[in-house]
Amino acid sequence: MKTAIAERIEDKLYQNRYLVDAGRPHITVRPHRSPSLNLLALTRVCPAKCYELNETGQVEVTADGCMECGTCRVLCEANGDVEWSYPRGGFGVLFKFG
Amino acid sequence: MTKEKFDAIVVGAGMSGNAAAYAMASRGLKVLQLERGEYPGSKNVQGAIMYANMLEAIIPDFRNDAPLERHLVEQRFWIMDDTSHTGMHYRSDDFNEVTPNRYTIIRAQFDKWLSRKVCEAGGTVLCETTATGLEWDSAGKAIGVRTDRAGDVVLADVVVLAEGVNGLLGTRAGLREMPKSKNVALAVKELHFLPEEVIAERFGLTGDEGCVIEAGGTISRGMAGLGFLYTNKESISLGIGCLISNFAETMERPYALLDAFKRHPSIQPLIAGSEVKEYAAHLIPEGGFNAIPRLCGNGWVVVGDAAQLNNAVHREGSNLAMASGRMAGEAISIIKSRGGVMDKASLSLYKTMLDKSFVVEDLSKQKDMPSLLHTNSPNFFTTYPQLISHAAQNFVRVDGTPKIEREIATTAAFLRARSRWGLVSDAVRLASAWR
Ligand SMILES: Cc1cc2nc3c(=O)[nH]c(=O)nc-3n(C[C@H](O)[C@H](O)[C@H](O)COP(=O)(O)OP(=O)(O)OC[C@H]3O[C@@H](n4cnc5c(N)ncnc54)[C@H](O)[C@@H]3O)c2cc1C
Ligand code: SF4
């Protein structure tokens, strides 16, 4: 039991319903050379794993699986690392149960 | 949308917004409610335990048609280490009363139902509409909101900000600060489906009786946080939440924490064989009394999670949201019936009502609790749970070691881990924060 394999986040997000607003991401990362500590933390702390480090060491966001929790906003909006909005009305995650 | 003017605009159709909109619409006010989700509840996440009294104050006969899952007859508090739990179970047949006190609910269904009541009372509910900013007059009074529907401005005498913990409008307008990472928890949650009979059997329940578990300990890996397991009719809500500041320090992955909680030998058998149908994440305000912002101003009031009205120690939020929303709605209706203007002075009636209620009373009683638990998190969430587990095992295991030796070993373990001074100081601080 103790060595059970961790589930993949993709499989979890697959359960959810989304209406993606194609071409209008609601979160953007400010261009940077090297990420701040908080921005780097998002690559692990975002519950939907929207943030990833690219090959040249910058943090990128793909907000398609975003659950609009606001964690990245709390950590990274004040210092300008991240610009955060809600998706347009009706778009984004649509919880069936919540 | 035309340029018609409303008595009040409510931003958000969650617990607090629905309560406020209902309170005003049912008193004859012309109310517009905006909700960014496809339907009310489609953006909302909760455990979810719903407290009957606060809903009864709004809709007395809610039991006739509200979507309720189970009424709670048993509550378990578990202190967990990696392989065990030490627990207190409270179960009472008294909870099988005619009008039960607490229920589990599923937010998406519940919010839809409560929103329908707002419509029936005469409120106008507009979904799929995000309010993007407040509109002000030259004298600095809020006079309406802008929305993402063709950039329209909608006007009203007063705006009720019921936008939840991550509300953009109030923070963007500088009415309150953005929540600080040490004052908000990130919770992740899954919904596990199981046949009704299986749930009943595993938890010893009959009919619509329900059981809930609150769990703390090494499951949060030294962070300030708690896990929960709530029984619904045909599903189990399972989740865990910790402070964002702790997540950022430890770089723990929230879903890895949830997976480990699910695989804990005390939890795993309770959800074995279930089918997961949703994974959700949401913030919870945890700052308590000291984090409450200004509650009203010229042309606006703020209610519910947006005002940090959430009792993290007792895991209550929806009831504080419903109560604060209802009081804001009542205050606005009273001011309206007197023909008053919705300025800061008149709207302070809402704050006066709130201050006198259990909402502020409870939060102020435990105002030191959040900071105590947060600054001492490794002790409260790792060291003590491990010690308690050892103590319990020492007490229970029979292997020929004399009892006195076991007791000495237990005491020594506590002292080694925390020192006599540390133990006394933790106990005193805990007791005074709780008092
Ligand atoms: C995992 C978890 C477990 C919990 N468990 C419990 C529990 O067991 N019992 C309990 O009492 N409480 C619990 N809570 C707390 C409870 O969920 C909240 O306190 C409660 O939902 C707050 O209600 P609210 O109306 O203030 O905010 P919300 O319910 O969050 O509603 C805010 C609404 O505003 C809408 N909105 C936001 N911005 C805009 C905008 N700009 N335009 C239009 N609409 C907008 C949102 O879509 C949403 O519908 C829990 C919370 C979580 C996250
Ligand atoms: S809002 Fe939450 S889920 Fe969405 S990207 Fe930010 S941290 Fe991830």
Side-chain angles (χ1 to χ4, degrees), chain A residues 62-78:
Chain A
T62 313
D64 291 2
C66 173
M67 293 177 282
E68 298 159 33
C69 70
T71 302
C72 57
R73 178 180 178 230
V74 169
L75 281 175
C76 286
E77 196 184 63

Side-chain angles (χ1 to χ4, degrees), chain B residues 20-165:
Chain B
Y22 184 85
M24 294 186 287
S26 61
R27 286 171 178 76
L29 268 61
K30 194 170 156 195
V31 178
L32 174 68
Q33 189 177 20
L34 305 175
E35 168 56 49
R36 64 189 196 84
E38 182 183 39
Y39 49 86
S42 61
K43 301 290 184 183
N44 301 341
V45 180
Q46 194 180 326
I49 301 175
M50 195 276 295
Y51 303 89
N53 293 56
M54 291 79 205
L55 179 57
E56 234 159 10
I58 302 164
I59 302 186
D61 60 355
F62 76 88
R63 290 182 182 84
N64 291 347
D65 59 352
L68 306 168
E69 293 289 312
R70 291 173 181 271
H71 78 274
L72 301 182
V73 296
E74 181 171 332
Q75 178 122 16
R76 306 180 184 176
F77 302 94
W78 283 6
I79 296 169
M80 305 178 85
D81 74 356
D82 294 347
T83 52
S84 73
H85 72 267
T86 311
M88 187 183 89
H89 293 195
Y90 183 68
R91 183 183 177 112
S92 174
D93 194 42
D94 293 348
F95 291 127
N96 280 315
E97 54 215 324
V98 186
T99 55
N101 178 252
R102 301 181 308 158
Y103 297 87
T104 47
I105 55 166
I106 289 176
R107 273 297 292 273
Q109 293 161 10
F110 185 87
D111 289 8
K112 246 191 239 171
W113 167 82
L114 193 48
S115 177
R116 206 168 58 238
K117 296 283 168 186
V118 173
C119 296
E120 285 165 13
T124 306
V125 183
L126 214 53
C127 290
E128 303 189 319
T129 309
T130 303
T132 52
L134 283 159
E135 193 70 15
W136 303 89
D137 69 8
S138 54
K141 181 183 178 296
I143 51 165
V145 300
R146 272 166 296 179
T147 74
D148 64 352
R149 287 207 175 190
D152 262 351
V153 175
V154 208
L155 300 175
D157 290 334
V158 60
V159 179
V160 179
L161 295 166
E163 47 182 347
V165 57

Side-chain angles (χ1 to χ4, degrees), chain B residues 164-186:
Chain B
V165 57
N166 190 26
L168 289 174
L169 263 53
T171 50
R172 277 184 185 164
L175 308 181
R176 56 173 190 272
E177 283 179 26
M178 187 108 109
K180 295 201 166 53
S181 62
K182 65 175 174 48
N183 280 343
V184 266
L186 164 65

Side-chain angles (χ1 to χ4, degrees), chain A residues 26-27 42 46-51 61 65-73 84:
Chain A
H26 61 287
I27 305 173
L42 292 181
C46 166
K49 205 165 180 265
C50 293
Y51 290 85
V61 64
C66 173
M67 293 177 282
E68 298 159 33
C69 70
T71 302
C72 57
R73 178 180 178 230
W84 206 97

